[in-house]
Amino acid sequence: METHFSKEQLKDKDNKSSEKILRKCVHCGFCNTTCPTYNLLGDELDGPRGRIYLIKDIIENNKPANEKIVKHIDRCLSCYSCMTTCPSGVNYMHLIDHGRSHIEKTYKRPFSDRLMRNFLSQVMPYPLRFRIIGILTSIIKPFSFMFPEKIKSMISLMPISFPRKNLPKKEIYFAQGEKKPIARVALLAGCVQQVIAPQINEATIRLLNRHGAEVVVIKGIDCCGSLNHHLGKSDLANKTFKKNILAWYDEYLNNGLDAIISNTSGCGTTLKDYKFIFRWDDELKKKAKKVSELTKDISEYLEENVKLNFINKNKNEKEYKIAYHSACSMQHGQKIHDVPINLIKKTGNKVFEIPEGHFCCGSAGTYNLLQTDIAKKLLKDKISNIKKVNPQFITTGNIGCITQIASGTKIPILHTAEIIDWYTGGPKPKILKNL
Ligand code: SF4
Ligand code: SF4
């Protein structure tokens, strides 16, 4: 694609990167075929190629975004399915991040929109605030019909109660056994996940400890920063990124870290991108690069570093039919697809991929709260595709997808780490108690 940035404009690091990305696009439109919003809405501007033109227009001409542009950019899920399809290697992720940040700086959203986005930005990344809002929400849940559609959706996605934590809160969870630990890893505790599904971190810690790895959960690191990053709130996001990078790098230097484990693929994708985000920052670039290089999804880490002690499958009475939902951030963002499937197969159960599995379930961070109609349609399609494989339960590696899919079906859904923990000596997940 031809670009016309001036020399002055190219002094800006984001313009410079975006120019390189834009020049790779050959307008072929292959990406449209796998874009969920293009398939659903049929508008060129609701597909990646159209959005690329919109972003080019505002950044190259340095003009403020308008209502029409914002509408189409906001409808993008950041699922990155288009990146998997693109034959030219266009990094749409970095381009839309730039576009969103430009929108945030140049466009004044309607009041209700600003209120909602600021609320999400000020509540979701903070576990305590989120818990308080969750408790308040459970009180008003019976009256949710009185609220506008978006608030109603938000209330419906909130659990009625939060599960109790079974593992005491500690900074270091020591490896089991007499031998020297095989590794020392940091776990990203996450923000929303540690409140609504603490069992995921608990299964991850148990599993790693049982196989000889020491797990460090560094105080003060909760959110990875992607929530604000995807809302276009770059300053807030960068503050979180910086805090996390400094804390992990300090731990790496002083006590040693072999990996940083993420068990939420959305967060893992962002952690792996810290090195790009701080590429121009003299103080942070080396540290950010190290943090990104150390980051591994839990499935990736287990596959590469741990000899899992699966319990002999004959000891388990049943063979389950499991549907694997490949989260977009896992398959498109981190290009991890077969690894979790192969791990689950080692439990001796039958694993089925979901038809049209490259399409998003509609969760996409805060998307299901901001673009409720599109998210609901995508969820409906996802559930109907899940039903085609008739599973007894579903598994995935991303809390957003777990919450979204659970809101549309009674088929139990759990994190892949919970299955691996169970089949290597951990407890059977409570959600499967009737199976
Ligand atoms: S990120 Fe997803 S929704 Fe956005 S343009 Fe690409 S394929 Fe479409
Ligand atoms: S597939 Fe890639 S090169 Fe083709 S239009 Fe989409 S982004 Fe551009």
Side-chain angles (χ1 to χ4, degrees), residues 259-308:
I260 296 168
I261 305 291
S262 161
N263 54 18
T264 305
S265 57
C267 309
T269 306
T270 303
L271 257 54
K272 289 180 178 181
D273 206 39
Y274 280 3
K275 66 173 185 281
F276 175 82
I277 298 165
F278 290 94
R279 68 204 178 282
W280 297 89
D281 188 309
D282 287 338
E283 184 209 341
L284 284 174
K285 68 178 171 197
K286 186 177 140 203
K287 298 175 183 178
K289 187 166 177 275
K290 188 59 187 172
V291 166
S292 290
E293 285 166 359
L294 284 171
T295 300
K296 298 275 175 195
D297 181 75
I298 179 67
S299 61
E300 198 183 10
Y301 181 78
L302 293 174
E303 174 73 9
E304 289 171 7
N305 300 284
V306 181
K307 194 176 172 314
L308 290 163

Side-chain angles (χ1 to χ4, degrees), residues 24-31 48-49 52 82 85-88 90:
K24 280 192 171 179
C25 177
V26 294
H27 333 253
C28 64
F30 287 166
C31 49
R49 183 172 59 182
I52 288 171
C82 47
T85 314
C86 175
S88 299
V90 170

Side-chain angles (χ1 to χ4, degrees), residues 12 21 72 94 104 110-111 115 129 134 199 236-237 264-265 284 292 304 336 346 350 366 371 378 391 397 410 416 435:
D12 175 85
I21 298 169
H72 295 293
H94 292 155
E104 193 65 14
F111 177 71
L115 194 69
R129 293 182 202 174
Q199 69 276 13
L236 284 174
T264 305
S265 57
L284 284 174
S292 290
E304 289 171 7
I336 300 173
K346 287 182 187 168
K350 286 208 163 73
T366 54
Q371 298 286 335
L378 291 171
K410 288 199 163 38
T416 307
L435 285 182

